[in-house]
Amino acid sequence: MMTDLEMNWVLGTPALLGVAAGAIAVLLVLIMKFKVHAFLSLIIVSLLTAVATGIPTARLMPTLLEGFGGTLAGVALLVGLGAMLGRMLETSGGAQVLTDALIARFGERRAPIALAVASLMLGFPIFFDAGLVVMLPIIFAVARRLGGSFLGYAFPSAVAFSVMHIFVPPHPGPVAATGLLGADVGLVLIFGLLVALPTWYVVGHLFGGYVGRKYDIPVPAILRGSTGDFTEFASAPRVGIIMTLLLLPIGLIFLNTGLNMAATAGLVSLDDAWVQVLRAIGETPVALLITVVLAMALLGWKKRKSATLVESVVDSALGPVSAVILITGAGGMFGGVLRASGIGNALAESLDAIGLPVIVAGFVIAALVRIAQGSATVALTTTAALLQPVVMGNTMFNPIELAAIVLALAAGSVFAGHVNDSGFWLVSRFFGMDTKTTLKTWTVGQALVGIVGFTIAAAIYLVASLF
């Protein structure tokens, strides 16, 4: 739903587009040429953009803080709790134990593919940012063990989480678009996998292998903590314990996402008390909190480590990730200002009048809204809502065509994530890449995800239209 501010644009669409393009250019110049810290640059450009787009003075700080706080609400707990879990896995030797088991099972040459396949499976119920944070300790350990560019190991896994998040229910974007366009969630899930898996192969495996060879990125030390070596915390836990700690949050989160999908299909009621309790346990922050406490017990207290030592290990995880959290929040602030300016809705409604075929128009609108304001979920739901009258009013679309349209919109909504996307900064900082390298790797990769995904969705649509 649009706020009053979003419905009363001070500037027309061309002027809004000019301001957005100028803001992104200024941001890149500040960070890349003048080396102004990304956190400060994002705040400065967010403030200037808010003024330039005509956001009233009384709404200036609330708009900035809503974008910043809204992003932190979804990211800070996940990154903080995930870093604690990763720190304990790293310090206890658990990450190394699991790495040894993976390499013994799949071999050194197939280790990146093994990590990516695990990420594809974990990415089914878990969101992009949460899944990536949970997998990072294992990715770090494998990269340290085998050597070479960290990007060759991390990029395929990150793309795996990305394609599952954007194409496959029960993730919120495709579920919302499915409901708005009247598609069948089961078909969207099936065809979403048919889109996601080849897209991952092209972008995650093939392009990921290329960027891994081209860019020599050292393994970041972000989860190694800021103080102390904590060698006394090491205990070489069994593989079963580590797998339990990795799979527990996935299982708990699936309680939430699975029940939401079951409710959409009419199998359960969200009003039932037992459903509400299980959904609460399956909320991502709660699931990670439970897992962190269990890790403290299994890796610390059960191994007869002192409570002070366990507390120190957990505490040491927070310092290194504070910059990640703040920069990601500032990226959300910038995207929030662009959304509050009304640029996404103005652009979408202007493009709707062009008269392209529905599936093409949906992809183009979603892609441009994504580029303009940053959020993939906002781009997907905005475009679906805009096309809803056209799609719902056409009884000639068969169920497979409807599913293909949803997936085409999803492909557009992930296109070319860049500096106004909080996920861009999450990847940049966790992977230890500067802004320029992140644009050349992650942004290009996300553009390829959109193009490949749309190509497959369009092919499904064309085949379905023959019957």
Side-chain angles (χ1 to χ4, degrees):
M1 179 178 291
M2 291 186 297
T3 66
D4 291 339
L5 185 58
E6 290 171 320
M7 290 187 289
N8 292 283
W9 305 309
V10 176
L11 302 177
T13 300
L16 284 171
L17 287 173
V19 171
I24 292 168
V26 170
L27 180 61
L28 292 176
V29 168
L30 285 175
I31 295 173
M32 296 168 61
K33 181 175 179 59
F34 294 105
K35 308 301 181 185
V36 179
H37 194 279
F39 179 61
L40 295 175
S41 298
L42 284 163
I43 295 174
I44 292 168
V45 173
S46 297
L47 180 59
L48 294 176
T49 304
V51 173
T53 54
I55 292 177
T57 304
R59 286 287 303 162
L60 198 61
M61 286 310 301
T63 300
L64 295 173
L65 295 178
E66 284 166 12
F68 185 74
T71 301
L72 287 186
V75 170
L77 285 175
L78 301 187
V79 173
L81 291 169
M84 288 180 175
L85 178 60
R87 181 70 172 130
M88 286 186 283
L89 291 176
E90 174 79 30
T91 307
S92 68
Q96 188 61 51
V97 167
L98 185 57
T99 298
D100 293 341
L102 278 174
I103 293 173
R105 177 67 180 83
F106 295 98
E108 293 187 359
R109 293 182 59 187
R110 292 191 293 271
I113 295 180
L115 290 171
V117 170
S119 298
L120 285 168
M121 293 188 293
L122 296 180
F124 181 75
I126 196 169
F127 291 0
F128 168 78
D129 44 9
L132 187 60
V133 169
V134 170
M135 275 296 294
L136 277 175
I138 310 305
I139 297 172
F140 287 159
V142 171
R144 290 191 190 102
R145 166 76 179 274
L146 300 182
S149 174
F150 172 70
L151 210 54
Y153 303 94
F155 194 89
S157 289
V159 172
F161 283 114
S162 177
V163 297
M164 295 300 286
H165 183 90
I166 202 63
F167 290 119
V168 182
H171 294 291
V175 168
T178 297
L180 286 168
L181 299 182
D184 181 273
V185 70
L187 285 176
V188 173
L189 191 154
I190 292 169
F191 286 104
L193 287 171
L194 291 178
V195 172
L197 296 179
T199 300
W200 170 80
Y201 180 79
V202 172
V203 182
H205 180 58
L206 298 181
F207 181 70
Y210 164 75
V211 297
R213 293 187 297 271
K214 183 175 178 62
Y215 299 98
D216 186 14
I217 306 296
V219 181
I222 193 167
L223 294 185
R224 289 197 161 186
S226 55
T227 58
D229 57 16
F230 301 114
T231 53
E232 64 270 31
F233 192 78
S235 57
R238 297 191 303 274
V239 173
I241 291 177
I242 304 306
M243 290 299 299
T244 297
L245 293 175
L246 290 177
L247 294 178
L248 177 62
I250 310 302
L252 293 177
I253 290 167
F254 192 72
L255 286 176
N256 184 291
T257 54
L259 286 171
N260 286 339
M261 189 165 64
T264 302
L267 301 178
V268 298
S269 172
L270 295 181
D271 295 328
D272 291 343
W274 68 274
V275 173
Q276 294 177 9
V277 170
L278 291 180
R279 287 180 68 232
I281 293 174
E283 290 286 352
T284 305
V286 177
L288 283 174
L289 175 63
I290 292 171
T291 306
V292 167
V293 173
L294 183 62
M296 293 169 67
L298 295 178
L299 302 178
W301 302 326
K302 187 178 179 181
K303 300 293 185 180
R304 304 192 180 190
K305 311 298 182 185
S306 70
T308 300
L309 175 61
V310 174
E311 191 273 338
S312 297
V313 170
V314 170
D315 180 69
S316 70
L318 296 180
V321 300
S322 59
V324 175
I325 293 171
L326 289 174
I327 292 171
T328 303
M333 177 191 292
F334 183 39
V337 168
L338 293 175
R339 288 191 291 277
S341 71
I343 185 174
N345 294 302
L347 180 61
E349 292 187 4
S350 297
L351 289 171
D352 188 41
I354 294 177
L356 292 171
V358 170
I359 191 168
V360 177
F363 170 75
V364 172
I365 293 171
L368 290 176
V369 173
R370 156 73 159 177
I371 292 170
Q373 54 76 49
S375 170
T377 301
V378 170
L380 180 51
T381 53
T382 296
T383 308
L386 185 70
L387 296 184
Q388 184 182 42
V390 177
V391 174
M392 299 290 280
N394 188 342
T395 58
M396 299 299 292
F397 290 127
N398 63 47
I400 296 178
E401 287 176 308
L402 288 176
I405 292 172
V406 169
L407 296 171
L409 268 60
S413 72
V414 77
F415 186 85
H418 60 98
V419 292
N420 60 4
D421 174 26
S422 59
F424 173 92
W425 297 106
L426 198 68
V427 169
S428 173
R429 269 31 194 184
F430 267 129
F431 286 16
M433 297 189 295
D434 60 27
T435 302
K436 185 177 182 180
T437 305
T438 311
L439 287 168
K440 290 180 177 180
T441 56
W442 183 248
T443 298
V444 173
Q446 291 284 275
L448 290 174
V449 168
I451 293 169
V452 175
F454 172 70
T455 301
I456 299 172
I460 293 171
Y461 179 87
L462 290 174
V463 172
S465 65
L466 300 176
F467 298 95

